[in-house]
Amino acid sequence: MRRAGLAALLTLLGATLAARAPSAQLSLRPSFGGAVLEGRIVAGPGDELTGVWSEGGHARLLKCSPRCAVVPAVPVPGTLLVGTGTPYRVVVSGAFRTGQRVKLALRFRDMQILNVDAVVIRP
C-alpha cells in the first residue's frame, strides 16, 4: 500500500513540474506603427503562446523565417526568446514613449493568462 501511495505522489509531483506556471521578462522596442516585444517567455514544455493583448488591442504573433507571416500560435519549448532578431516576434500596435510601462496579457494554450509589465526601451 505504501509503495502505491509513493508512486501516486511521484506521478502527481511530476505532472506539477511539467505544468509549471508561465513567467516572462519582457520589454518593448518601438518600431513603425507600434513596438516589438523583446525578452524571454518561460512555460511548460510543449506549451504555446496563443495571444497577447495590451490596452491598444490584440498583438500580432509572427513567424519570421525568411519572411514574416501572422500565425495563430507560437510554440514555447520551455523557453522562448522573442525580438527583432528571432524567428518568432510579437508586434503590439500603438504609440509608445521610451520609459513607458505597458501592461500586457499573455494567453497560453491551456487558457492560462500571464499579466506582465513591459518597459519601452530606446529604438
Side-chain angles (χ1 to χ4, degrees):
M1 183 71 168
R2 286 190 132 199
R3 191 171 257 179
L6 181 60
L9 180 62
L10 289 175
T11 301
L12 181 61
L13 180 61
T16 302
L17 290 174
R20 67 180 161 193
S23 64
Q25 296 173 339
L26 301 169
S27 59
L28 287 166
R29 183 172 301 278
S31 66
F32 181 75
V36 176
L37 204 59
E38 289 191 344
R40 176 175 54 158
I41 300 169
V42 178
D47 207 345
E48 290 181 316
L49 180 64
T50 60
V52 176
W53 287 264
S54 71
E55 64 182 43
H58 189 261
R60 303 245 188 236
L61 304 176
L62 303 172
K63 180 177 182 181
C64 298
S65 60
R67 294 185 182 175
C68 291
V70 175
V71 293
V74 173
V76 182
T79 299
L80 172 69
L81 298 177
V82 292
T84 56
T86 62
Y88 290 100
R89 299 177 193 168
V90 178
V91 179
V92 181
S93 64
F96 301 99
R97 301 178 322 274
T98 301
Q100 177 183 357
R101 289 193 174 279
V102 178
K103 294 192 180 301
L104 300 171
L106 285 67
R107 184 179 68 193
F108 294 87
R109 180 182 61 205
D110 61 357
M111 300 305 262
Q112 279 189 304
I113 304 291
L114 174 63
N115 294 309
V116 297
D117 284 344
V119 176
V120 179
I121 58 177
R122 286 195 166 140

